[in-house]
Amino acid sequence: AQSVTQLGSHVSVSEGALVLLRCNYSSSVPPYLFWYVQYPNQGLQLLLKYTTGATLVKGINGFEAEFKKSETSFHLTKPSAHMSDAAEYFCAVSSSGTYKYIFGTGTRLKVLA
Amino acid sequence: EAEVAQSPRYKITEKSQAVAFWCDPISGHATLYWYRQILGQGPELLVQFQDESVVDDSQLPKDRFSAERLKGVDSTLKIQPAELGDSAMYLCASSLAGYDEQYFGPGTRLTVT
């Protein structure tokens, strides 16, 4: 069975500081991995995804994530936080070739002025 | 830019009443998903349609929830009777095919009193 663990339900960073949101997954088959962002009372927006190929994935709004198979991780980073990055972030995993996403419990990012 | 539409955005209902949510996926997307997101948690899949057929409703509480996608385009999710524990965000998503990335609508926030 697949699962996703997001370490830290709340993360605070100062504006301009590095953002690091952690995601570890469990999967018995090659995974597809996703990061979504959710603003209050809105749906989820895809930030980036890893399916195959290059393990460093660049997404929208300056975010990127690196797939590390040996560590079963897919951490999300951004070099410099903006106030507009304050939101909830969800990591998700699915098996290659299937539809079913398993979401983590989310990390709420707070950006301090 | 094409988007997934959902209505209503907010719904307050009393327990034991019936409630219905509507979703219109991105044009051409054959696969449609309904998720439930309880506050502080990640989305959980309730039901998945491929065109007008249900392909996964294993997590749908069938004693009170029903979903349909009669013409393979828009979809309705119904709860009857609503219970206090049904208070959550109900998200609709669509994809071109079952293994493609999912695009989410803005959601319907349900409050059962």
Side-chain angles (χ1 to χ4, degrees):
Chain A
Q2 295 177 308
S3 65
V4 174
T5 301
Q6 291 185 240
L7 294 175
S9 58
H10 292 80
V11 170
S12 293
V13 300
S14 298
E15 191 174 21
L18 171 72
V19 176
L20 171 61
L21 305 182
R22 300 179 186 273
C23 173
N24 288 88
Y25 70 90
S26 171
S27 178
S28 58
V29 297
Y32 286 3
L33 294 158
F34 308 84
W35 275 101
Y36 281 85
V37 62
Q38 186 177 34
Y39 296 98
N41 290 313
Q42 293 188 25
L44 279 68
Q45 180 184 12
L46 181 67
L47 280 176
L48 48 81
K49 65 179 179 181
Y50 168 79
T51 54
T52 59
T55 57
L56 181 63
V57 180
K58 295 187 184 297
I60 62 172
N61 301 339
F63 284 94
E64 63 181 36
E66 187 171 11
F67 170 60
K68 292 187 176 180
K69 184 178 179 180
S70 61
E71 299 177 10
T72 61
S73 69
F74 191 57
H75 301 332
L76 182 71
T77 61
K78 182 174 180 177
S80 176
H82 294 174
M83 298 298 290
S84 60
D85 295 327
E88 188 144 25
Y89 292 79
F90 291 94
C91 181
V93 63
S94 73
S95 296
S96 55
T98 71
Y99 63 87
K100 195 159 188 174
Y101 285 19
I102 304 298
F103 283 90
T105 53
T107 297
R108 184 168 298 278
L109 176 66
K110 186 174 182 179
V111 182
L112 307 172
Chain B
E1 182 178 314
E3 296 180 342
V4 177
Q6 288 188 250
S7 67
R9 293 292 311 278
Y10 304 91
K11 180 70 178 178
I12 300 174
T13 192
E14 294 181 348
K15 64 181 181 180
S16 79
Q17 295 298 304
V19 64
F21 315 129
W22 177 79
C23 172
D24 192 12
I26 293 173
S27 178
H29 281 197
T31 311
L32 185 147
Y33 314 79
W34 283 102
Y35 288 87
R36 177 171 58 186
Q37 184 182 19
I38 295 170
L39 194 63
Q41 298 182 21
E44 178 189 26
L45 181 69
L46 290 175
V47 61
Q48 184 219 357
F49 290 91
Q50 182 65 34
D51 298 310
E52 66 275 9
S53 300
V54 173
V55 295
D56 186 347
D57 62 358
S58 57
Q59 300 302 311
L60 188 71
K62 298 180 188 63
D63 57 335
R64 296 185 301 107
F65 286 65
S66 64
E68 60 183 15
R69 193 184 184 198
L70 292 175
K71 296 182 179 179
V73 181
D74 59 339
S75 175
T76 302
L77 178 69
K78 297 179 181 177
I79 308 175
Q80 182 173 19
E83 297 181 352
L84 294 177
D86 296 331
S87 293
M89 175 79 90
Y90 290 83
L91 294 164
C92 179
S94 69
S95 63
L96 272 173
Y99 46 83
D100 289 326
E101 65 187 66
Q102 298 178 21
Y103 295 83
F104 284 79
T108 296
R109 169 77 65 190
L110 173 66
T111 302
V112 182
T113 63

